[in-house]
Amino acid sequence: MHINSFEGGIPPSLGNCQNLLVLTLYNNNLTGNIPQKLMELSTLSIGLDLSDNYLTGSLPSKVGDLVHLTLLNVSNNKLSGEIPSTLSSCTSLEGLFLDDNKFEGTIPQSLKDLKGLEELDISSNNLSEQIPEVIGKLGALKYLNLWYNDFEGELPKAGIFSNVKGASVLGNHRLCGGIPQLHLPTCPKNKHHSSRGLLSPKVVIPISCALAFIIALSCFFGARSMLKKSRGGLVTSRSYKDWKLGVSYSQLVESTNGFSVDNLIGSGSFSSVYKGVIPSDGTVVAVKVLNLQQQGASKSFNDECKALRSVRHRNLVKIITACSSIDNHGTDFKSLVFEFMPNGNLDSWLHPRDEEQSPSKRLNFMQRLNIAIDVASALDYLHNHCETSIVHCDLKPSNVLLDEDMVARVGDFGLARFLMEASNDPSLNQTMSSQLKGSVGYIPLEYGMGGQVSILGDVYSYEILLLEMFTRKTPINDLFIEGLSIYKFAAMALHDHVMDVVDPSLLLNLEADGGVNDDRYESTVLPRRNNHGVVKAKKVKECLLAVM
């Protein structure tokens, strides 16, 4: 029952379904606590996925009764309290995802009993104190994400912690030690501690042998995990999940075929977008590479990405992850990875470059109206319902993406903040500041005169977007000269000449449905056919008048 619009709480009566093997409710609008009765479904073995909802309260301690469960995912909710130590009873667990919640306290030492655990994500919570060394002793563990918590003290080096690609500790600023590749600060030395005993051959040789055995065992279980993923089923989505943990420059190169021209979807002043394919499961993503050559502040960039990843709305393009690294030329490399939108952007539908495709890419009246409502919903969320209001700064058709169902998703929200944080060059910041206030034709006049960006500027851009959608004329059309603008063009047509300025292809669609109730069109362009068509066309005309 995932990816719907279910609201309210999870019915406890689901606990009566005594033969359930798998239950997926992710990506809905569910609220309230996780019912204790759900934890009594001892038959659950394939998976329990409640992620991407608005669930609150704690993770019930009775979760330990799910002894046959292979996958537990409650990420991206508002769960709080401590991670229950009873999870240690779920000895069949291979994947445990608790990220993006409000869990507090420490990582339970009892997790050492999850011998078959291959993936553990507890990132973006409020966990603290020292990371238990027992986590490094989980021989099957292949991926560990501890991003953005408040862990402190020395980071273990054994097991998964010896693999820089397998373990991520970004955003825990009080950690020290660990392997050199993680670039953590050196831990303070204990003056009363002598290292001679630790460095003796009698200690070093056994530890080295044990470490080699753990690494070999990890490789074995990793290979077994990859084999399971290739067999399909619920587990195949984990490769996509892995990318949410973080992605490297080399992985992006592989997924985009070396950022080849054939994979280029579009480009702008500050970025280029490539179509990418996650090699392990074929999931298609969009990779936006920021065109900045300056040495940037990687931490700020990742912090901004973390903040925007928590912004969720059905009409916003979802940010999967970010990459802040160094490319093959030693230059700072920064990119964002988004969901791929198969129907491209609104601009390509309003102004198709290939005239031969024009009829097939013609939007009808209801499609345009729905897109307009979708964009308005996205802006309302960014402006009024985020923890901190987000100003888009560059709303235009090319930043409105369309998914497989032609639902509009607004993209590039917050990109201005990304780009400003990515550069530490004051002169460049000043130039970017003026350019990032929007695109010519869509920005309000006060921006051009040095005014501060605001949600009102986005509203103005939305007005221009509306006019362009229904007239199919860009605000920089050659028609608009000598003081004439798309705004004045539409205003002059009110109220009696609206049908003169709308996109002619809309009239063709109305002709197929029975004509337009307008004397000037009845005898020339679109003759009246029946009363139903006239009534419908009259309502369409009233709606167009309201839009203008």
Side-chain angles (χ1 to χ4, degrees):
M1 293 184 283
H2 52 266
I3 315 180
N4 283 290
S5 300
F6 291 128
E7 299 177 347
I10 299 175
S13 56
L14 280 176
N16 297 328
C17 303
Q18 292 299 319
N19 294 314
L20 272 184
L21 299 177
V22 55
L23 175 61
T24 61
L25 291 168
Y26 65 84
N27 212 335
N28 280 289
N29 298 314
L30 299 172
T31 55
N33 296 341
I34 299 175
Q36 290 272 0
K37 196 168 179 62
L38 206 61
M39 303 296 109
E40 298 175 6
L41 283 173
S42 58
T43 56
L44 282 177
S45 56
I46 298 176
L48 174 61
D49 195 337
L50 309 178
S51 61
D52 295 298
N53 282 289
Y54 301 92
L55 300 173
T56 54
S58 62
L59 181 61
S61 59
K62 287 180 68 66
V63 68
D65 293 347
L66 303 178
V67 293
H68 303 295
L69 192 63
T70 304
L71 173 69
L72 175 62
N73 190 349
V74 294
S75 63
N76 228 340
N77 280 288
K78 298 181 179 180
L79 299 175
S80 56
E82 295 189 349
I83 297 175
S85 59
T86 52
L87 276 170
S88 60
S89 300
C90 303
T91 52
S92 298
L93 274 180
E94 295 179 3
L96 177 58
F97 303 101
L98 309 176
D99 51 292
D100 288 287
N101 281 288
K102 299 178 181 179
F103 288 117
E104 299 174 339
T106 62
I107 301 176
Q109 292 275 352
S110 60
L111 293 187
K112 69 180 188 302
D113 295 330
L114 303 180
K115 305 297 185 184
L117 193 64
E118 298 173 1
E119 297 172 291
L120 174 60
D121 189 346
I122 50 178
S123 62
S124 302
N125 281 288
N126 300 317
L127 299 170
S128 57
E129 298 190 25
Q130 196 160 355
I131 298 171
E133 291 188 6
V134 294
I135 300 298
K137 297 178 182 179
L138 295 173
L141 197 59
K142 184 181 179 183
Y143 294 108
L144 174 65
N145 189 4
L146 306 175
W147 273 19
Y148 294 99
N149 281 283
D150 193 27
F151 294 119
E152 61 182 79
E154 185 170 6
L155 182 70
K157 297 179 182 179
I160 188 65
F161 296 105
S162 66
N163 181 358
V164 69
K165 292 184 179 179
S168 178
V169 295
L170 186 71
N172 293 280
H173 306 302
R174 296 199 289 169
L175 283 177
C176 61
I179 60 176
Q181 292 88 333
L182 293 175
H183 305 293
L184 295 176
T186 304
C187 293
K189 292 183 179 180
N190 189 335
K191 296 181 180 179
H192 304 288
H193 179 70
S194 174
S195 61
R196 289 183 180 180
L198 292 175
L199 296 177
S200 66
K202 292 182 179 180
V203 176
V204 172
I205 293 175
I207 290 178
S208 300
C209 292
L211 185 59
F213 174 75
I214 291 173
I215 293 173
L217 199 62
S218 298
C219 291
F220 168 76
F221 281 108
R224 189 184 73 167
S225 173
M226 293 300 292
L227 180 61
K228 287 182 179 180
K229 290 177 182 179
S230 67
R231 291 175 179 172
L234 187 73
V235 186
T236 57
S237 64
R238 293 192 196 171
S239 295
Y240 176 81
K241 183 77 179 182
D242 294 342
W243 271 47
K244 289 179 70 176
L245 309 186
V247 62
S248 67
Y249 172 75
S250 59
Q251 287 173 310
L252 292 180
V253 171
E254 181 183 4
S255 70
T256 59
N257 194 21
F259 300 111
S260 69
V261 177
D262 293 338
N263 285 47
L264 184 64
I265 301 172
S267 59
S269 302
F270 296 106
S271 63
S272 300
V273 184
Y274 298 86
K275 180 179 180 180
V277 179
I278 300 178
S280 52
D281 64 3
T283 302
V284 181
V285 294
V287 180
K288 180 183 285 290
V289 179
L290 304 184
N291 301 332
L292 294 174
Q293 301 304 317
Q294 287 70 25
Q295 295 293 316
S298 299
K299 176 188 175 297
S300 298
F301 177 82
N302 285 315
D303 284 347
E304 288 291 342
C305 178
K306 165 65 177 60
L308 291 186
R309 278 182 62 193
S310 65
V311 175
R312 294 187 299 148
H313 190 274
R314 70 185 297 269
N315 297 122
L316 292 176
V317 177
K318 188 174 182 179
I319 299 176
I320 299 171
T321 189
C323 176
S324 182
S325 183
I326 304 294
D327 64 18
N328 292 333
H329 304 289
T331 306
D332 263 18
F333 174 88
K334 290 179 172 60
S335 71
L336 304 169
V337 181
F338 300 89
E339 285 182 314
F340 181 74
M341 296 290 110
N343 277 312
N345 61 48
L346 177 61
D347 185 74
S348 66
W349 284 81
L350 293 176
H351 315 291
R353 304 298 182 262
D354 187 347
E355 291 300 324
E356 293 180 1
Q357 294 181 357
S358 184
S360 64
K361 296 198 74 170
R362 183 178 294 153
L363 295 170
N364 62 35
F365 173 75
M366 284 308 300
Q367 284 176 316
R368 297 186 204 206
L369 194 60
N370 284 330
I371 290 170
I373 293 170
D374 288 341
V375 176
S377 298
L379 285 183
D380 176 52
Y381 175 79
L382 291 173
H383 293 168
N384 305 313
H385 301 289
C386 288
E387 186 173 345
T388 302
S389 292
I390 296 176
V391 182
H392 189 287
C393 295
D394 197 18
L395 185 66
K396 57 185 178 181
S398 61
N399 284 335
V400 176
L401 289 303
L402 302 170
D403 68 12
E404 63 274 10
D405 298 317
M406 295 299 287
V407 173
R409 309 279 196 96
V410 175
D412 276 3
F413 58 92
L415 182 61
R417 292 172 63 187
F418 269 120
L419 293 170
M420 292 297 289
E421 290 287 350
S423 171
N424 58 6
D425 184 340
S427 61
L428 179 69
N429 275 348
Q430 188 173 2
T431 304
M432 289 169 61
S433 179
S434 61
Q435 294 185 37
L436 287 171
K437 290 180 179 178
S439 300
V440 175
Y442 299 93
I443 59 174
L445 293 177
E446 59 266 26
Y447 282 11
M449 295 184 290
Q452 294 296 315
V453 297
S454 69
I455 61 175
L456 297 180
D458 281 353
V459 174
Y460 178 89
S461 300
Y462 177 69
E463 295 170 2
I464 302 301
L465 177 70
L466 273 184
L467 295 178
E468 182 172 356
M469 286 176 62
F470 288 93
T471 64
R472 209 156 69 88
K473 289 181 172 57
T474 70
I476 55 173
N477 189 287
D478 293 339
L479 175 68
F480 305 133
I481 57 174
E482 298 179 356
L484 182 63
S485 65
I486 189 172
Y487 175 84
K488 292 182 180 178
F489 176 72
M492 290 166 58
L494 295 178
H495 291 270
D496 299 327
H497 298 276
V498 167
M499 303 306 286
D500 290 336
V501 299
V502 298
D503 176 12
S505 66
L506 282 179
L507 303 181
L508 294 176
N509 288 331
L510 291 176
E511 180 182 12
D513 287 335
V516 177
N517 187 24
D518 191 307
D519 293 339
R520 289 169 294 107
Y521 289 91
E522 286 178 8
S523 60
T524 55
V525 182
L526 302 172
R528 184 183 305 182
R529 293 183 182 179
N530 53 55
N531 290 333
H532 172 73
V534 170
V535 171
K536 179 176 181 180
K538 182 178 180 181
K539 290 182 177 179
V540 169
K541 181 183 176 182
E542 290 173 353
C543 188
L544 282 169
L545 185 63
V547 168
M548 297 297 179

